[in-house]
């Protein structure tokens, strides 16, 4: 009897979480998620700017690609006057990482099952927030999510822009710890060969290769 009551309370609790998310928001988010689940492979760029007031404290540029379980991420980070570039991925058999530092490259291969880089984008906002408001701005939908299910979440509000024509993600904006973060998404490319997710060692003749 106790198990039945606990199950009922859990179901009712989940229902109340999604009750305030309008159906049209869920529909748009579902279509957006579908654009990222392309069986032929998908690549896109993401630029993330973090500002503390008017001061830009960090700029990050990503080129992210996925195809099935394979992934590849190129990342350039600029903090003040310093810039660091890395690449990482998973070719279906092993994970790899390329570190670029002052003209020297280091390539690390490991038997991990996936890339630890930024290869998967979280688009489950309609499940992680209790409230949402959507506006049709013509070329894009603007959806603001608020009241996170996880009370420990520092992102109390997230606003996304999604194309009304392609349902591709255009922008994601939030704030945490006093810093404002804006991510913009561009250069979507569909259709990637499997070799794209492998490291071509001939391109790095002087690199130090490490296998774990």
């Amino acid at each position: 009897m106790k198990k039945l009551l606990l199950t009922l309370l859990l179901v009712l609790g989940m229902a109340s979480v999604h009750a305030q998310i309008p159906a049209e928001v869920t529909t748009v988010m579902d279509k957006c998620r579908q654009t990222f689940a392309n069986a032929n492979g998908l690549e896109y760029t993401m630029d993330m700017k973090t500002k503390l007031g008017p001061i830009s404290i960090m700029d990050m540029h990503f080129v992210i690609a996925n195809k099935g379980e394979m992934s590849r991420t190129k990342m350039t980070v600029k903090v003040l006057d310093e810039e660091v570039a890395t690449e990482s991925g998973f070719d279906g058999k092993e994970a790899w990482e390329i570190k670029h530092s002052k003209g020297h490259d280091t390539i690390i291969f490991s038997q991990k099952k996936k890339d630890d880089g930024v290869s998967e984008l979280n688009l489950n906002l309609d499940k992680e927030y209790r409230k949402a408001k959507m506006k049709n701005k013509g070329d894009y939908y603007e959806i603001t999510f608020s009241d996170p299910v996880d009370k420990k979440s520092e992102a109390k509000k997230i606003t996304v822009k999604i194309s009304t024509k392609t349902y591709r993600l255009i922008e994601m904006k939030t704030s945490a710890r006093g810093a404002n973060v804006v991510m913009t998404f561009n250069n979507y490319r569909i259709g990637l060969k499997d070799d794209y997710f492998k490291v071509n060692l001939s391109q790095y003749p002087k690199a130090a290769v490490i296998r774990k």
Side-chain angles (χ1 to χ4, degrees):
M1 187 65 171
K2 287 184 179 180
K3 289 185 177 180
L4 179 61
L5 287 173
L6 286 171
T7 303
L8 181 59
L9 288 171
L10 180 61
V11 170
L12 289 173
M14 291 177 65
S16 65
V17 166
H18 298 290
Q20 298 182 59
I21 300 294
E24 60 265 28
V25 169
T26 300
T27 298
V28 171
M29 293 304 298
D30 281 342
K31 291 182 178 181
C32 183
R33 283 187 281 264
Q34 289 171 13
T35 66
F36 283 88
N38 194 291
N40 295 318
L42 173 70
E43 181 183 76
Y44 58 95
T45 61
M46 180 180 78
D47 289 290
M48 184 168 70
K49 294 183 179 295
T50 304
K51 288 186 176 183
L52 192 60
I55 303 172
S56 179
I57 58 175
M58 183 167 60
D59 290 341
M60 304 178 75
H61 175 74
F62 298 89
V63 181
I64 302 170
N66 290 281
K67 183 179 182 181
E69 63 178 0
M70 295 182 291
S71 63
R72 181 172 188 145
T73 304
K74 299 178 183 178
M75 180 178 68
T76 304
V77 183
K78 186 176 182 181
V79 181
L80 300 177
D81 293 329
E82 292 191 20
E83 187 172 289
V84 178
T86 62
E87 294 181 55
S88 61
F90 178 65
D91 61 12
K93 294 182 179 179
E94 60 183 354
W96 54 266
E97 181 180 8
I98 304 174
K99 295 182 179 180
H100 308 283
S101 178
K102 297 180 180 179
H104 299 286
D105 297 322
T106 302
I107 304 175
I108 303 171
F109 292 93
S110 63
Q111 296 301 312
K112 293 183 295 184
K113 292 185 178 181
K114 66 176 183 177
D115 167 28
D116 287 335
V118 183
S119 59
E120 295 183 4
L121 185 66
N122 180 17
L123 291 172
N124 294 318
L125 301 175
D126 53 327
K127 298 176 177 63
E128 297 179 356
Y129 286 80
R130 290 187 173 89
K131 299 177 182 178
K133 292 182 179 180
M134 184 170 71
K135 298 178 182 178
N136 188 329
K137 296 286 189 175
D139 291 336
Y140 62 88
Y141 297 106
E142 183 181 79
I143 309 173
T144 299
F145 295 93
S146 60
D147 192 9
V149 174
D150 182 0
K151 292 299 182 182
K152 295 181 180 180
S153 174
E154 294 183 357
K156 303 303 180 184
K157 184 184 294 184
I158 293 181
T159 299
V160 297
K161 293 179 181 179
I162 297 171
S163 169
T164 54
K165 294 181 180 179
T166 63
Y167 290 96
R168 288 175 175 170
L169 187 61
I170 299 171
E171 183 183 273
M172 184 179 291
K173 182 165 55 177
T174 187
S175 61
R177 296 185 180 181
N180 297 314
V181 181
V182 178
M183 291 166 277
T184 54
F185 302 82
N186 291 289
N187 305 312
Y188 287 88
R189 180 166 70 101
I190 294 174
L192 304 173
K193 295 182 178 180
D194 290 357
D195 286 345
Y196 181 69
F197 299 91
K198 298 178 181 179
V199 177
N200 186 349
L201 291 176
S202 65
Q203 294 180 352
Y204 307 93
K206 297 181 180 181
V209 179
I210 301 172
R211 294 187 180 275
K212 294 183 177 181

